[in-house]
Amino acid sequence: MVDFVFPFHCLGCEKPGVIFCQECQKRIPFKSFQVCPFCEKTVTLRGEVCQLCKKESETFQKTCLEQLIVATSYNEKIIQRLIHVFKYNFVKSLDEALGDILAKSLLKNLDFVPDLIVPVPLHPLRHRWRGFNQSELLAQKIATQLSPPFEIPVEKELLKRTRYTLPQMKIKSQEERMSNLANAFALEKKLQEKVRSKKILLVDDVCTTGTTLFECSSLLADASAKKISAVVIARQGS
Ligand SMILES: [Zn+2]
Ligand SMILES: [Zn+2]
């Protein structure tokens, strides 16, 4: 594993000297359509909630997440590899390539400029173990690309993990995943006013059931956010 990461060879084509080369970056297949974040079935123009879920999904009522943009497919082997090496081999420099993937998909699918970008937080223990919060790095990359030369503020301290939870990837059943994350997040009270009437973009690397984003979104909704959208590189199982 160590050899695989250092010295660097392109994760896509093995070319030496780079971690992920320009040519391979250009070959990343973006999702050609987006679906409703809740039923994951109905195709919507930009990943907005479908009409039926707007009326009937309890999760939507609670979370107020209006849109989830999924940049590419988790079925792409190269995407799985990039995300794994980024998160578990601690290759921080991949934030560039992965941030670009998010930014490109956002420029295509986001029809407003967010007032605030909020990365999904890591528990402090995991943050220390990894040395960085991958969502935070991605959020920072996006911040400069959505509305240049203007840099959108990234609010890193707004959301906190209050409980140490198992990585969602390691939990098999859907029910256990939901209870694993119940009340795992909190919103920093003294920053609450920053959310009021704001259009917010939540950022995470991958999502699975969506529970993490839903939990974060409902906290933002409780703090009177005006609009909440989210973006991930890929969604597992889709
Ligand atoms: Zn390459
Ligand atoms: Zn739906």
Side-chain angles (χ1 to χ4, degrees):
M1 213 35 136
V2 170
D3 193 44
F4 164 64
V5 174
F6 186 83
F8 288 143
H9 285 270
C10 174
L11 289 163
C13 67
E14 306 268 306
K15 182 159 75 187
V18 283
I19 185 76
F20 192 55
C21 79
Q22 291 291 329
E23 288 73 44
C24 287
Q25 278 189 45
K26 279 184 209 137
R27 274 200 293 270
I28 296 274
F30 285 90
K31 273 215 178 290
S32 53
F33 61 90
Q34 300 286 329
V35 296
C36 165
F38 298 99
C39 60
E40 293 182 62
K41 286 191 188 80
T42 310
V43 175
T44 56
L45 189 61
R46 302 167 191 272
E48 298 97 337
V49 182
C50 74
Q51 290 307 322
L52 193 65
C53 289
K54 243 181 205 169
K55 267 189 249 146
E56 292 180 1
S57 160
E58 279 174 31
T59 324
F60 170 68
Q61 312 297 347
K62 189 173 158 281
T63 64
C64 303
L65 181 68
E66 289 182 35
Q67 175 185 32
L68 170 61
I69 296 165
V70 180
T72 177
S73 168
Y74 200 77
N75 295 331
E76 297 290 336
K77 285 278 173 293
I78 185 63
I79 292 297
Q80 290 182 24
R81 210 163 171 203
L82 288 168
I83 290 168
H84 192 94
V85 172
F86 186 42
K87 282 171 84 162
Y88 301 104
N89 299 78
F90 316 105
V91 180
K92 207 176 160 187
S93 58
L94 273 176
D95 65 341
E96 203 80 46
L98 292 170
D100 277 355
I101 292 172
L102 288 178
K104 275 192 193 130
S105 186
L106 283 166
L107 288 170
K108 192 174 155 227
N109 292 300
L110 201 67
D111 61 353
F112 68 97
V113 178
D115 300 308
L116 211 59
I117 300 180
V118 178
V120 167
L122 274 186
H123 191 275
L125 280 178
R126 196 167 294 134
H127 199 149
R128 211 169 308 151
W129 170 72
R130 188 172 293 147
F132 60 89
N133 174 2
Q134 72 277 4
S135 307
E136 211 172 283
L137 294 184
L138 296 173
Q140 265 148 6
K141 290 288 157 206
I142 296 168
T144 53
Q145 292 187 57
L146 292 190
S147 180
F150 180 66
E151 184 172 343
I152 300 165
V154 175
E155 193 48 77
K156 299 184 285 194
E157 310 296 332
L158 184 67
L159 297 176
K160 300 252 181 257
R161 285 228 187 212
T162 49
R163 281 198 301 117
Y164 194 82
T165 54
L166 289 166
Q168 292 290 85
M169 270 165 91
K170 294 203 171 143
I171 306 172
K172 292 279 175 281
S173 100
Q174 175 117 352
E175 264 168 55
E176 282 172 49
R177 280 177 156 165
M178 298 293 259
S179 66
N180 181 45
L181 280 186
N183 303 313
F185 299 90
L187 192 133
E188 187 64 65
K189 281 276 176 283
K190 58 178 192 281
L191 296 174
Q192 194 164 345
E193 274 308 305
K194 290 199 169 191
V195 177
R196 182 176 298 279
S197 309
K198 295 285 166 46
K199 290 175 273 180
I200 295 179
L201 178 68
L202 266 170
V203 177
D204 207 354
D205 52 356
V206 271
C207 92
T208 310
T209 56
T211 318
T212 302
L213 290 172
F214 299 160
E215 291 285 326
C216 291
S217 186
S218 66
L219 289 170
L220 296 169
D222 290 346
S224 309
K226 184 179 179 185
K227 180 182 175 71
I228 310 159
S229 290
V231 67
V232 292
I233 299 163
R235 186 166 189 169
Q236 274 175 304
S238 73

